[in-house]
Amino acid sequence: MNGKAVAYYRVSTDRQGRSGLGLDAQRTAVANFLAGPAKMILGEFTEVESGKINDRPQLQAALALCRLTGATLVVAKLDRLARNARFLLNVVEGSGEGGVVFCDLPQLPPGPVGKFMLTQMAAVAELEAGLISQRTKAALSAA
């Protein structure tokens, strides 16, 4: 990481956005990750949107700032960015020279090994989203 960061925070529902709890936890994770010398947050972007939705204006604005400044996109947790492997990899590849870092995966190495590991983690996040959806549908139909 080159010292310039753009933070991206996301929660899924208006209720989560209003309570601020999930957002506060993400802000704390990013602040702790960036704590130390010579790191500057150039911008913070917050979205209240389902992870299933790929058209996210705040994410697009964050990525544009990253590309413009060479900053790194910093996200508290992988699943806060996406639970869809293809979308996640498109974001990572379109983030610019600074790339993307996840506070919950700080040891991901750069290069092809890191991309492979990230792809596997994204597939797990996508699986989890599908399982959550199945459980929710089953619970609603039982009720």
Side-chain angles (χ1 to χ4, degrees):
M1 193 174 141
N2 64 10
K4 295 184 288 187
V6 173
Y8 177 73
Y9 313 111
R10 183 189 66 78
V11 292
S12 300
T13 66
D14 288 332
R15 182 177 168 195
Q16 291 170 326
R18 284 190 308 272
S19 78
L21 296 177
L23 293 172
D24 288 345
Q26 290 176 59
R27 284 186 184 99
T28 299
V30 169
N32 290 339
F33 182 81
L34 294 174
K39 293 181 182 155
M40 177 188 340
I41 296 180
L42 302 178
E44 293 182 304
F45 296 84
T46 302
E47 202 115 52
V48 178
E49 188 64 72
S50 168
K52 294 178 182 179
I53 304 297
N54 293 343
D55 183 24
R56 298 190 220 149
Q58 292 300 301
L59 177 58
Q60 293 309 313
L63 291 169
L65 183 57
C66 286
R67 288 189 297 269
L68 180 68
T69 62
T72 300
L73 183 68
V74 180
V75 183
K77 293 175 59 181
L78 176 84
D79 67 353
R80 296 297 83 205
L81 182 57
R83 289 186 187 251
N84 176 298
R86 182 178 308 142
F87 176 74
L88 176 79
L89 293 173
N90 284 337
V91 169
V92 169
E93 290 174 358
S95 63
E97 67 185 60
V100 179
V101 297
F102 301 95
C103 301
D104 64 335
L105 300 170
Q107 282 79 23
L108 272 182
V113 171
K115 184 176 180 181
F116 170 77
M117 292 172 67
L118 182 61
T119 301
Q120 300 307 304
M121 300 295 260
V124 170
E126 187 171 328
L127 172 64
E128 182 181 6
L131 294 173
I132 289 169
S133 176
Q134 281 183 340
R135 288 192 302 267
T136 301
K137 287 176 185 173
L140 290 173
S141 68

